[in-house]
Amino acid sequence: MRLTVNGSEHELDLDPRTTLLDALREHLGLTGAKKGCDHGQCGACTVLLDGRRVNSCLILAIAQQDARVTTIEGLGGHPVQRGFLEHDGFQCGYCTPGQICSAVGMLGEVERGWPSATGDDDPLSDAEIRERMSGNLCRCGAYPNMVPAIREAAGR
Amino acid sequence: MKTFSYRTATGPADGLEPGAVFLAGGTNLVDLMKLGVATPDALVDVTRLPLGEITDLPGGGLRIGAAVRNSDLAADPRARQAFPLLSQALLAGASGQLRNMATTGGNLLQRTRCRYFMDATKPCNKHTPGSGCPARDGDHRNLAILGGSEACIATHPSDMAVALAALDAIVHVDGPAGPRTIPVTGLHRLPGDRPDRDTVLEHGELITAVDVPALPSATRSAYRKARDRASYAFAVGSVAAALAVTDDGLVSEVRLAWGAVAPRPWRAWRAEERLRGRPATAAEFRAAADAELAAAEPGRDNAYKMELLPRMTTALLERLADREGR
Amino acid sequence: MTAATRAIGAPLARLEGPEKVSGTAKYAAEYRQENMAYGWVVPSPVPHGRLRAVLADPSADAIAVLWHGNAPELAAADDPELAVLQSDRISYRGQPVALVVAGTLEAARRAAQVLQLDIETLPHEAVLRTDHPEVYTPDTVNPGFPAESSAGDVDRALAEAPVTVDVTYTTPALHNNPMEPHATIARWDGDDLTVYDSNQHPSGVAATLATVFGVDRVHVVTEHVGGGFGSKGTARPNAVLAALAARVTGRPVQVALPRQAMFSLVGHRTPTIQRIRLGADTDGVLTAIEHQAWSQTSRLYEFAEQTAVTTRHMYAAPHRRTGHRLLRLDMPTPRWMRAPGEAPGMVGLECALDELAEQLSLDPVELRIRNEPHTEPETGTPFTSRHYVDCLRAGADRFGWWGRDPRPRQQRDGDWWIGTGMAGATYPAMAQPSTARVRDLADGGFEVAIGATDLGTGARTILSQIAADALGVPTGRIRIRIGDSTLPQASVAGGSSGSASWGWAVTEACRELRRTGGAEAVFDTTDLIAKQEKEGRHAFGAHFAEVRVDAVTGEIRVSRLFGMYAAGRILNARTARSQFLGGMIMGMGMALHEEGVLDPALGEWINHDLAEYHIPAHADVESIDAAWLDEHDDQLNPMGSKGIGEIGIVGSPAAILNAVWHATGVRVRDLPARLDKILPHLPT
């Protein structure tokens, strides 16, 4: 089985049941993507698949041999990462890689003009950011600090 | 998760070997496989089939390929323009990540979120026929008040399907016996004594597209969802509505569908029938919604839906009837 | 010391921040081991019974199936739940009855799913109620308070009071749900046990595992912890199971709990039933306060939540009584969850006070001010510092409270009813014995070592600030080592006592180093802390909330939430604010979202995942802020700090519920306040 992660191609011999998340964490040593619920209910496992944010825990690795996977380890000093540092956008840090990957994917969606359920004129209003980021839970409650981190990363 | 074999489909009419299922976005299937609720012997990956386009239909409708991702459909300018309720329903569901994965066909075929169904160690007539249904005496706060049976009161969890039901969408399927079409309102079965069968699809039949015919001109539409937290939560009640009102204030066209109240997206035919030609007023809207609920069988903890749905329906129709378009 | 406050209080960024935002911070399950196997817990499918046998599917790819029939014998720990796989007795649904070990995660999970259990099912009881014949009064409630207290004649005072409130509030089971599930990787090298474990107390976990396995050398590594909120305060079954399986298989074993298992296996906040009776004169001066609380515990272990203890400290009244009753059920053992006792107890007390204010037509802030005690209401012990009234006033100013129309259901904005509410907050200021070591690295730097943990609190960062000031050097010259049981023994990261306990030890060690001028100093605070008075030490605060309630659906949104605190010296303005906000947000969850939904017939909380057990999402958190008074208290510890990790969840739920009443006229007395409880009372 072949997986392309952060620009590197890997040949792996995996059980077909292996999810993309477990392939990253248990077989490639890329533990930045986190397992918070393993069922698409928390967003901690968020990675970018061909540039789109997805829950890697619900994706079978075997079905993604042609895809480009980007994990937190492959972001390399993205403005969202700097924003999280600047605004204390995390506490325990466990949801953080997922939040950051999700924010990076989300900013791309905004650039493509995708709407959200909020429907504000400004797609990066605080309410819009909160709605668009709602697929990433944070039990520490660091949400209020993530909003300015993400907004500023978008150049606002 | 049980072991399975994996192959990619070569065509929509490929069919399935016994014990096999189609894999598309996987957001529901992989979840249920991990829980041991779904135990397929083989997965046939249909994501490489050419089913990912949205195309125009004559007369202003749209054909949505079954593999179109929920996020792409929600963002499609034609869909947003012609069917605001569809885009709104999609955006009200799940999360940005899940919408990027989930497909149109898979969304329609997602299974109930009933907490007994989602746990293979519990009795449930849907996952283990004959094992019983603990929901009637147990937790049913978000289960069906309409269309349920002694054996099952599961609700269908989709937002998108509710909008499609209101839109008279047509589901295209293909399979070993050839292609056929099914109105989306007829896709999902009511449980009766076979709650394990969610839909009328035969084994090996694959949804290939969904046709959404244009709404009559001057029809306005919207989707409203109530839930237990502000986002990333299944509906506890939702309403998809389309409405046209004549110059003298009478309902000329109305489409109503409800979510989180029944084993399928619930088209409120009875309410619609009652409303056509009637004054577009709150009192009429409420009476129509109440009429739809005449057949409802609420339980101990879900009777609030008997009030929630009429209120939401009335408010939404009032908004659509308001020509100032506030 | 001129340098005493240079670093403390500064908004220093978290030291481990770069690792956390780049994905390189390592959590327990992320220490790869050669030849590692995976353990998967098989939970009991019944709440009460006896496991006669297990039948493994031979086709399942398991290395070992451990159960009480073949598991090695373990020594007893203080916590009977750690006696895993030692008996045929099943005491709750979800209790581990077997552990399947396999070479891959996929194989382990499947083998666990198909393992057949031969169980004799016994009758069970799962519902907490006050009239159960087996309800009893425990000897003490956590962490050692008398179960009952009484002064004056409450019944007479209530009978004579012109204004009374007699209300019952209930709170459901709540589940800590840190984002990182409990996880352990265990490895044996001879009789040396190394565990990478997610916990709040590496020193304690090491001691427990040493006892259980009868070995001397246990090394617990806990560099980063993905939250705990009390549920990782002691060794949990995952740690014992991983070590057990590693012992049996001779391979390193990872046991990472699935989210679903966390609802039964790692503790939860007990459901509570609280009856509060208040008597007041017509000026709103309390004459009587009574708070009776019922909660549950398991068959395995007595855990007595101190629900009514806070009421002993909050308000003056000559006649007063508190009490606790327990019921043992065939349910998982409750444990600590952020502000155990205070969080549920202050729902009852502070909502009841709001009901009293309503009856008196008195402003709820003013009502509280009129009942401010000068000393501990039960004992007369002076407070080391108490600025509750200042928090109430300053908070009300900042929130824009004054001039509010006290009548409910008066303010409407489009489809929304608007309301505001407030409630008090408090949390005890505690410290526990710890030992710290400081070394002069002779290159200008200093290494500060203590077996503490940072579960997102900012402990690592704060300790560097404390050490910098104690040594009179910039924080950049401090190297902090925590998260390892081989470091000097530290107390648990719990009870909002971490910074006080560890900071105290660090300060003294640093002072000793300066005094002696040596290369190393070690200081143990046990004797200093033993000499301390325990009474009269609390942080205080006030929470203010504005809610919008959808007039159509009854959906509730918190549009504004503000917390004003007096919590001693704030050690790091940046991480402190984050912690306050985090507590308040969890309080929002408690008020509006969170509930372990019990199926009595199955004996289980059946919404055991994050799709169905709702914690607040991004979109739920709108305008929220926290601020604090500059409070000086030199009787607590060398830093003058009080704990801040928990006070945010104390009272914030009540403030929100009181705002819901103000918006709608509906008193929700059974948490959480969801639309179905509001809807029947809203006008059409």
Side-chain angles (χ1 to χ4, degrees), chain B residues 1-2 34-36 115-116 119 121-122 139 141 224 226-230 236 304 308 311 315, chain C residues 93 110 113 550-552 555 557 593 599 602 604 606 608 612 614-615 620 674-676 679 682-683:
Chain B
M1 198 185 293
K2 200 175 82 172
K34 286 186 184 186
L35 292 169
R115 290 149 180 176
Y116 303 96
D119 187 337
T121 71
K122 297 192 171 84
D139 172 63
R141 178 177 171 269
R224 176 155 189 185
R227 44 185 150 179
D228 285 331
R229 71 179 165 197
V236 294
Y304 70 94
L308 179 65
R311 291 175 78 106
Chain C
R93 190 175 168 125
R110 186 57 187 164
Q113 279 173 349
D550 191 304
V552 173
E555 289 167 286
R557 303 283 183 259
H593 306 123
D599 182 314
L602 294 174
E604 188 183 30
I606 60 164
H608 45 54
E612 301 289 319
H614 288 146
I615 65 172
D620 291 290
R674 284 189 305 236
L675 64 85
D676 45 318
L679 202 54
L682 287 183

Side-chain angles (χ1 to χ4, degrees), chain A residues 106 110 114-134, chain B residues 74 80 87-93 99 223 227 230-232 319, chain C residues 416 548 557 618-622:
Chain A
M106 181 273 274
V110 168
W114 286 14
S116 90
T118 302
D120 279 2
D121 292 335
D122 175 3
L124 286 171
S125 70
D126 286 0
E128 282 279 353
I129 291 172
R130 291 193 286 259
E131 164 59 27
R132 290 170 187 269
M133 290 298 297
S134 282
Chain B
R80 286 169 72 185
S87 180
Q88 289 163 14
L90 283 158
L91 294 171
R99 293 193 293 269
Y223 183 77
R227 44 185 150 179
S231 188
Y232 202 16
R319 175 148 68 85
Chain C
W416 299 95
R548 295 178 296 143
R557 303 283 183 259
H618 266 276
D620 291 290
V621 182
E622 301 182 17

Side-chain angles (χ1 to χ4, degrees), chain C residues 234-306:
Chain C
T234 56
R236 300 315 311 133
N238 48 289
V240 180
L241 288 167
L244 189 67
R247 193 69 151 171
V248 171
T249 62
R251 293 169 66 166
V253 173
Q254 179 200 93
V255 176
L257 294 182
R259 175 64 55 180
Q260 289 83 350
M262 293 170 64
F263 286 75
S264 50
L265 204 44
V266 299
H268 60 276
R269 192 194 301 285
T270 171
T272 71
I273 302 169
Q274 304 174 46
R275 185 180 181 197
I276 295 98
R277 296 200 292 168
L278 303 174
D281 67 24
T282 52
D283 291 335
V285 175
L286 287 165
T287 53
I289 304 174
E290 176 170 32
H291 192 164
Q292 298 291 344
W294 289 260
S295 61
Q296 71 189 47
T297 188
S298 72
R299 303 282 182 198
L300 282 176
Y301 188 70
E302 181 183 271
F303 182 94
E305 179 103 351
Q306 66 272 41

Side-chain angles (χ1 to χ4, degrees), chain C residues 93-368:
Chain C
R93 190 175 168 125
Q95 187 176 6
V97 292
L99 184 82
V100 174
V101 187
T104 67
L105 205 47
E106 294 76 27
R109 175 166 54 199
R110 186 57 187 164
Q113 279 173 349
V114 297
L115 186 72
Q116 291 191 41
L117 306 172
D118 176 5
I119 290 175
E120 177 196 1
T121 303
L122 297 169
H124 72 272
E125 286 199 72
V127 182
L128 173 65
R129 54 191 174 95
T130 59
D131 62 351
H132 195 288
E134 288 168 24
V135 162
Y136 70 100
T137 304
D139 292 338
T140 59
V141 295
N142 296 333
F145 296 114
E148 299 186 307
S149 71
S150 177
D153 187 340
V154 168
D155 296 316
R156 194 170 141 193
L158 284 168
E160 290 174 357
V163 186
T164 57
V165 163
D166 181 351
V167 286
T168 298
Y169 277 80
T170 63
T171 61
L174 299 173
H175 301 271
N176 309 59
N177 276 318
M179 292 311 298
E180 182 202 17
H182 295 58
T184 310
I185 292 173
R187 188 187 71 231
W188 289 91
D189 302 287
D191 275 344
D192 290 5
L193 172 62
T194 303
V195 299
Y196 303 89
D197 183 67
S198 183
N199 67 74
Q200 298 171 223
H201 193 198
S203 308
V205 170
T208 299
L209 292 177
T211 301
V212 167
F213 289 96
V215 295
D216 297 327
R217 288 179 301 276
V218 179
H219 182 185
V220 176
V221 179
T222 308
E223 185 71 30
H224 297 288
V225 185
F229 312 109
S231 69
K232 295 175 180 169
T234 56
R236 300 315 311 133
N238 48 289
V240 180
L241 288 167
L244 189 67
R247 193 69 151 171
V248 171
T249 62
R251 293 169 66 166
V253 173
Q254 179 200 93
V255 176
L257 294 182
R259 175 64 55 180
Q260 289 83 350
M262 293 170 64
F263 286 75
S264 50
L265 204 44
V266 299
H268 60 276
R269 192 194 301 285
T270 171
T272 71
I273 302 169
Q274 304 174 46
R275 185 180 181 197
I276 295 98
R277 296 200 292 168
L278 303 174
D281 67 24
T282 52
D283 291 335
V285 175
L286 287 165
T287 53
I289 304 174
E290 176 170 32
H291 192 164
Q292 298 291 344
W294 289 260
S295 61
Q296 71 189 47
T297 188
S298 72
R299 303 282 182 198
L300 282 176
Y301 188 70
E302 181 183 271
F303 182 94
E305 179 103 351
Q306 66 272 41
T307 310
V309 165
T310 307
T311 297
R312 298 173 185 170
H313 309 290
M314 278 307 285
Y315 301 107
H319 307 281
R320 49 196 313 128
R321 187 158 64 206
T322 62
H324 298 82
R325 306 282 180 276
L326 273 184
L327 179 62
R328 283 190 188 274
L329 294 170
D330 302 293
M331 290 293 286
T333 310
R335 288 181 180 274
W336 306 273
M337 178 169 165
R338 205 171 200 167
E342 290 83 7
M346 285 287 273
V347 168
L349 180 64
E350 292 294 299
C351 287
L353 273 178
D354 205 64
E355 301 206 36
L356 180 64
E358 176 194 353
Q359 281 204 36
L360 290 161
S361 298
L362 182 65
D363 182 86
V365 172
E366 180 59 30
L367 172 64
R368 286 163 173 83

Side-chain angles (χ1 to χ4, degrees), chain B:
Chain B
M1 198 185 293
K2 200 175 82 172
T3 50
F4 54 82
S5 64
Y6 170 90
R7 69 176 172 91
T8 52
T10 53
D14 265 9
L16 287 173
E17 47 274 39
V21 298
F22 293 118
L23 170 70
T27 54
N28 191 218
L29 178 61
V30 175
D31 183 8
L32 293 174
M33 286 167 66
K34 286 186 184 186
L35 292 169
V37 173
T39 52
D41 296 318
L43 295 185
V44 178
D45 188 338
V46 295
T47 54
R48 286 166 183 76
L49 296 179
L51 302 173
E53 298 293 314
I54 303 172
T55 50
D56 293 322
L57 288 175
L62 288 177
R63 173 162 297 173
I64 303 157
V68 171
R69 307 282 168 171
N70 287 177
S71 51
D72 289 318
L73 178 55
D76 185 84
R78 293 163 294 177
R80 286 169 72 185
Q81 168 69 31
F83 311 112
L85 78 174
L86 179 58
S87 180
Q88 289 163 14
L90 283 158
L91 294 171
S95 68
Q97 292 94 313
L98 290 164
R99 293 193 293 269
N100 274 337
M101 303 158 69
T103 61
T104 308
N107 187 319
L108 284 172
L109 296 180
Q110 68 180 299
R111 310 205 68 189
T112 185
R113 305 298 299 201
C114 173
R115 290 149 180 176
Y116 303 96
F117 173 74
M118 296 285 286
D119 187 337
T121 71
K122 297 192 171 84
C124 167
N125 290 322
K126 195 182 267 300
H127 70 53
T128 310
S131 61
C133 172
R136 279 179 179 277
D137 293 331
D139 172 63
H140 54 258
R141 178 177 171 269
N142 205 20
L143 297 183
I145 55 172
L146 288 163
S149 70
E150 201 53 46
C152 182
I153 51 170
T155 40
H156 194 264
S158 172
D159 292 295
M160 181 198 77
V162 181
L164 290 178
L167 286 166
D168 280 337
I170 304 290
V171 178
H172 290 255
V173 304
D174 205 348
R180 62 173 176 138
T181 60
I182 306 163
V184 75
T185 48
L187 176 67
H188 301 92
R189 294 178 67 257
L190 292 182
D193 56 3
R194 286 298 305 276
D196 54 311
R197 292 198 55 203
D198 286 3
T199 71
V200 300
L201 296 185
E202 298 295 333
H203 184 74
E205 280 193 316
L206 176 70
I207 295 178
T208 55
V210 177
D211 283 358
V212 188
L215 283 166
S217 61
T219 305
R220 301 176 61 198
S221 73
Y223 183 77
R224 176 155 189 185
K225 173 175 179 175
R227 44 185 150 179
D228 285 331
R229 71 179 165 197
S231 188
Y232 202 16
F234 290 96
V236 294
S238 73
V239 181
L243 183 74
V245 180
T246 62
D247 289 342
D248 46 358
L250 301 179
V251 173
S252 59
E253 174 64 33
V254 61
R255 312 269 191 84
L256 263 184
W258 290 344
V261 294
R264 63 183 181 205
W266 190 262
R267 182 71 181 263
W269 302 108
R270 218 186 290 203
E272 291 178 14
E273 196 178 325
R274 197 192 149 103
L275 273 176
R276 278 199 193 88
R278 303 288 300 174
T281 62
E284 291 286 345
F285 297 150
R286 172 81 203 207
D290 285 342
E292 186 67 39
L293 287 169
E297 293 180 87
R300 183 191 61 225
D301 295 331
N302 58 1
Y304 70 94
K305 291 177 191 267
M306 299 289 285
E307 178 65 15
L308 179 65
L309 270 296
R311 291 175 78 106
M312 292 177 70
T313 302
T314 305
L316 190 61
L317 289 174
E318 275 191 280
R319 175 148 68 85
L320 295 176
D322 178 358
R323 280 160 209 231
E324 303 307 311
R326 60 183 171 103

